Structures are given as C-alpha cells and as structure tokens.
Amino acid sequence: MTDPIATTRHGQVRGVEKAGLLNFRGIPFAAPPVGPLRFRAPEPPEPWDGIRDATQNGPISPQAPSPIDLPGGPPVQRPMDEDCLTLNVWTPAADGSLPVMVWIHGGAFTIGCGADFSGRDLAARGAVVITINYRLGPLGFLALPCLADEQGRFTNFGLRDQIAALRWVRENAAAFGGDPGNVTIFGESAGGMSVGALMASPEAKGLFHRAIAQSGAGHHALTLEAATGTARRICEILGVSPDDGAGLRAAPAAELVRAFSLCETEDMQRFIGRGRVWKPTFAPVVDSQALRVLPISAVNRGDGSDVPLLVGSNADEYRSLVQVAPLSEPEVVARFAELGLDGRAAFERYGDARRKRGEPASPEEIWSAALTDHHFRVPADRLAEANTARGNPSYSYLFDWKSPPSVGLGAYHSFEIMFMSGIYRLFPDQAGSGPAADALANTMMEAWVAFATAGDPSTPSLQWPRFDTNTRPLMVLGELCHPTTNYREAERRV
C-alpha cells in the first residue's frame, strides 16, 4: 500500500497509514520564527516544491527540562529548535465532513509539545485531530516595548502562534477530511487557559466553533505591567538592556531559557514553596490587542467568540502540583486571608464540609482542596456561568477517577488526559485498569467527539445536562459517570 499524500495550500505532504488511520507529522503552519522573525507575530509558511516528508515530529520549542515525568518512566527527550511551529494530524480521511479537533498542550506556557498527545483514539471515533506546537517561555511571551513591530505588537507571540495554527486549519482541514466550518479547540492546563484566551481574543474570532477547556479557564492572564516586570528581570539575568531589541534577538535561545529558569525558580520559592497561590511566570498578556481584557471579563461582556463550551476540572488537582510542607491551622487561616477572605470562617467552612462527607480535614488537606478550587474548579464554574449568560450552550464536568494507591494522588492534575485520549491502557499501574476504566475512557472519548460534532457531549449511553446557574449541573466522570447538582456548594461559596 502506498503512503498517503495530502495537498495543503503550501505543498504536498506524505504521511503514514496504520490501522485505517492516516497520520501526518511535522507540517509547518508558520514560517520559522528565527532571526528577524524572533519576537514577531507568526508569518505564513513558504510554499515548497515536491512532496514533503511528514512522518516525523518536528522539533519542540526550546524549554527547560520538565519537572514532571511522564507516567511509566522518564520524559521523552525530543529535539528542540526555535523552528518549532509545526502540527500533527490524525484522520480517518473521510469526505471532508468530519469535525476537527485542535489540541493545545499544557505545561505552564513553558514546557510541553503537541507530540505528547496522541489523537489516534479520538480520530478512530470519527474526528480529524490536530495537535500543535507554539512558542513557549520567553520566546513565546516575553513582553518589552523594544520588541514592537510595525503594528506595535510586542506580546503574546505564543498565543498568536495558536491563532496562526487555527488559520492553517481553516485553509487546510478539508485536505485531511475535516470540515473547516466545524472546528473545536481543546486543551488542558495552560492549554485550557489558552482556550479561554482564544475565546476572548478578537484575532481568533471565527476560527473555531466549539471549545473544551480542561483544568484551565478564563482567569489566568498577566497584566502588561507584570509581564514587562518579568521580562526586565530576565534581561537583568542575561546582561542585556531591556531596551536592546537587537540584543534580545541575538541572544542564544538556550541562554533565554536559562535566564527564565532562574527567574521561575525565584517565583516558585516565593509562592509555591510556602504553600501560597501559584503566580505564572509566563502566560497570555492583557495587551489591548490579541487579548484586550482578562479572558473571563471578555466572555462576560460578549467581546469574545460565542460558542458552545465544555469545561471542567479534576477533583484533586493540586496534589500532584505542590508538595505543601506541613501547615498549622493558623498558617492556613492566614493563607485564606491572603486571598481576601475571612480566614477563620473559610477554614471552618472547608473543614466542616469535608468532615460531613467523611473526608480528611487536616490543615494540609483543607489548603490543598482550597487551592484546587481557587485555581481550577471555581474558574471553570465561572466560565460556564459567563458563557451561559451569553446564551451559549455550556456543559460542566468533574473528573474523579482515583489513581491507584501506589500513586496516591487521587484525581490529580492532567490525569483525565489518559482517559480522554485512550492512553490509560499503556500505564495500568499508574492509571488503573479493568472494565470500569475501559468504560470511563469510552464514555469520555465518545462525549468529546460528540461535543465536537454537534456542540453537545451527550451520547446514547449518557445524557449530559446543560449548565445553568440555579442548580449548576455537572457530570461526574469516575468509576460511575453520573450528573449531580450544586457540587460542593459550601466550598464554592467560600
């Protein structure tokens, strides 16, 4: 059997076929952001002659080593290069009417790549699945006026990379069997936060038609002041003037990453190491251009894309993110007060609610639960609220499959990816196995593809209630999948 060939707007690409699916890798969706194009909005790729090999992943954005190992072993070592703006496609290669799902990877806007996500099992259920790279860390989000282009843009290069990928999808989805008029963006953590930012960005309007935000919503963006402050600190570490755009464009990528790593270490010691709320070193920037206001504010006032939304979080997000040192009750009361709350009342409400459910209520457990709510669950709830108020269908979920006792982290941050992508089968010791695990994975993959197809995650086996602000229905995805209402209302009110 001959290798599959697809014809894009910029040239032909050759992929591979396996088990009835076609896979194309390393397709450029933008010009290499190197030399004079470093710290510039992405440009379209140059056309090529002949047939381009698309059987290998492209390089990933330069980044520091991941502090998080992949399940089952050490992280995969992938080649890094600034010439990283490529994407991968999985498709059943139908007639051009399939829904398109564009995955945006997580990693705190500083680590990760599109190739870490397999779209095979979702594509096998009737979708074209595309995973993208985007510029990370200082290469993607450094913000200094000296970097401004002719249009005055000097921020959000990584976010604009995502938008450029969506433009490529609009122009080329049909070549892979996809419907360019039915595009779903979905992502987890920083990818979920990117989904929120894209929903808010005027530059992304019309490029997608549905949105799935996993463990990330519309509350995570940096002010221009905060972003430029971080950029100036990185320049100080580099020994480059923050007014020297040419010097920053000439600096080796490895040195930029090293400077960021030192800056991030300082931030982690200041916040995470003391059990305080994480502050991102890099994230999309409210710049009055690509992102005019905080994403949740844009959705609230109707400035963003009006699209159906599926949004949710995991039950124990913070257990894998932070090893909080033993905290005393007065310390946790003080942490709540730092969030602008009545610290004593918040501590007691959390403790009472947990004890009524028979859950641990030590100061560390209370604070871990509060961080999960503050950073993930309540922002998801508020994004559903805002989108619903705009008259758009919204659906909410809570992932609550517990990791095996040997892992001991509950339904931790990013765990749901194993099930909604099907890779849980490769890691039974880390994810669990058996009929219940199989049923959960099938339920999630069918729901995700159903949502991408029609804007509703309901399937013949699971009817999913639409979100409303009276009963706040959500779907619990765990050993048993079932809807519930007003989930942990006492903590939400805190």
Side-chain angles (χ1 to χ4, degrees):
M1 183 177 294
T2 59
D3 292 331
I5 295 174
T7 302
T8 75
R9 291 286 184 93
H10 301 97
Q12 292 185 308
V13 291
R14 178 187 288 110
V16 296
E17 181 177 359
K18 185 177 181 181
L21 293 175
L22 310 185
N23 184 208
F24 301 84
R25 297 174 181 263
I27 304 174
F29 64 82
V34 299
L37 294 184
R38 181 194 271 184
F39 302 128
R40 285 282 189 265
E43 298 285 343
E46 289 291 332
W48 58 85
D49 297 323
I51 301 175
R52 184 185 182 107
D53 179 75
T55 62
Q56 303 295 322
N57 296 318
I60 69 176
S61 179
Q63 56 193 268
S66 170
I68 304 173
D69 287 351
L70 295 177
V76 177
Q77 299 299 316
R78 302 190 187 278
M80 291 188 292
D81 196 282
E82 285 189 76
D83 181 5
C84 64
L85 299 184
T86 62
L87 51 77
N88 305 323
V89 183
W90 285 262
T91 176
D95 59 2
S97 62
L98 292 176
V100 182
M101 303 179 71
V102 180
W103 173 257
I104 305 170
H105 71 80
F109 299 101
T110 59
I111 57 174
C113 64
D116 284 344
F117 183 90
S118 172
R120 178 169 299 280
D121 281 19
L122 288 172
R125 284 165 168 77
V128 176
V129 181
I130 299 173
T131 69
I132 66 173
N133 289 341
Y134 54 99
R135 282 173 283 181
L136 301 171
L139 292 166
F141 297 95
L142 200 73
L144 286 169
C146 70
L147 302 175
D149 63 12
E150 293 79 7
Q151 286 77 44
R153 297 173 297 188
F154 62 90
T155 55
N156 287 320
F157 313 113
L159 183 64
R160 287 188 164 101
D161 292 342
Q162 298 171 11
I163 295 169
L166 292 175
R167 291 196 184 101
W168 185 96
V169 169
R170 181 177 61 186
E171 295 174 354
N172 295 285
F176 299 91
D179 178 2
N182 187 9
V183 175
T184 296
I185 55 174
F186 69 132
E188 184 270 343
S189 194
M193 298 170 198
S194 294
V195 167
L198 291 168
M199 289 179 66
S201 175
E203 295 181 14
K205 199 164 188 174
L207 295 177
F208 62 95
H209 312 92
R210 321 191 195 288
I212 304 174
Q214 302 171 210
S215 300
H219 286 67
H220 296 91
L222 296 177
T223 65
L224 190 57
E225 180 183 18
T228 54
T230 296
R232 289 178 179 277
R233 174 61 184 139
I234 287 174
C235 287
E236 181 182 346
I237 295 170
L238 276 174
V240 175
S241 168
D243 299 319
D244 184 4
L248 286 167
R249 288 196 172 86
E255 288 301 303
L256 282 164
V257 171
R258 183 190 66 83
F260 150 70
S261 294
L262 292 173
C263 187
E264 183 182 47
T265 298
E266 294 171 357
D267 288 345
M268 290 179 71
Q269 290 173 341
R270 186 159 55 249
F271 294 103
I272 294 178
R274 297 163 64 190
R276 290 188 165 87
V277 175
W278 172 72
K279 306 289 186 180
T281 306
F282 286 110
V285 180
V286 177
D287 62 0
S288 301
Q289 295 176 339
L291 196 58
R292 293 175 180 169
V293 294
L294 190 70
I296 188 64
S297 300
V299 176
N300 265 314
R301 70 188 198 184
D303 288 351
S305 297
D306 284 320
V307 296
L309 170 70
L310 174 60
V311 61
S313 61
N314 297 356
D316 307 294
E317 299 267 9
Y318 244 88
R319 286 192 183 177
S320 63
L321 293 177
V322 175
Q323 298 298 317
V324 177
L327 294 171
S328 67
E329 181 176 320
E331 286 175 317
V332 176
V333 169
R335 298 291 187 269
F336 276 117
E338 289 173 359
L339 298 179
L341 304 172
D342 180 327
R344 170 54 56 186
F347 181 87
E348 290 178 354
R349 286 187 189 179
Y350 262 82
D352 289 345
R354 293 182 67 82
R355 282 186 286 272
K356 286 179 182 177
R357 295 191 297 265
E359 297 172 350
S362 68
E364 293 85 3
E365 290 283 355
I366 288 174
W367 186 234
S368 179
L371 288 175
T372 292
D373 289 346
H374 176 274
H375 212 63
F376 297 105
R377 185 167 73 88
V378 170
D381 196 73
R382 287 177 176 160
L383 186 58
E385 279 182 357
N387 202 55
T388 297
R390 293 289 306 158
N392 302 311
S394 302
Y395 302 87
S396 182
Y397 74 86
L398 179 89
F399 180 81
D400 197 21
W401 175 270
K402 302 301 184 184
S403 56
S406 60
V407 178
L409 295 174
Y412 61 86
H413 186 65
S414 81
F415 192 23
E416 87 287 358
I417 297 175
M418 284 199 183
F419 291 85
M420 49 75 61
S421 70
I423 67 166
Y424 75 101
R425 294 186 300 265
L426 302 178
F427 308 106
D429 292 342
Q430 287 78 27
S433 60
D438 297 339
L440 174 60
N442 286 329
T443 293
M444 292 183 70
M445 287 187 280
E446 289 173 2
W448 262 238
V449 173
F451 181 81
T453 302
D456 184 336
S458 297
T459 65
S461 61
L462 191 69
Q463 292 301 301
W464 205 304
R466 280 178 63 161
F467 183 88
D468 69 73
T469 55
N470 293 321
T471 61
R472 301 180 180 277
L474 60 75
M475 186 66 71
V476 177
L477 300 170
E479 189 165 354
L480 295 176
C481 296
H482 61 91
T484 189
T485 57
N486 292 319
Y487 176 81
R488 300 198 171 186
E489 182 68 1
E491 290 100 314
R492 186 190 72 81
R493 289 183 178 276
V494 172

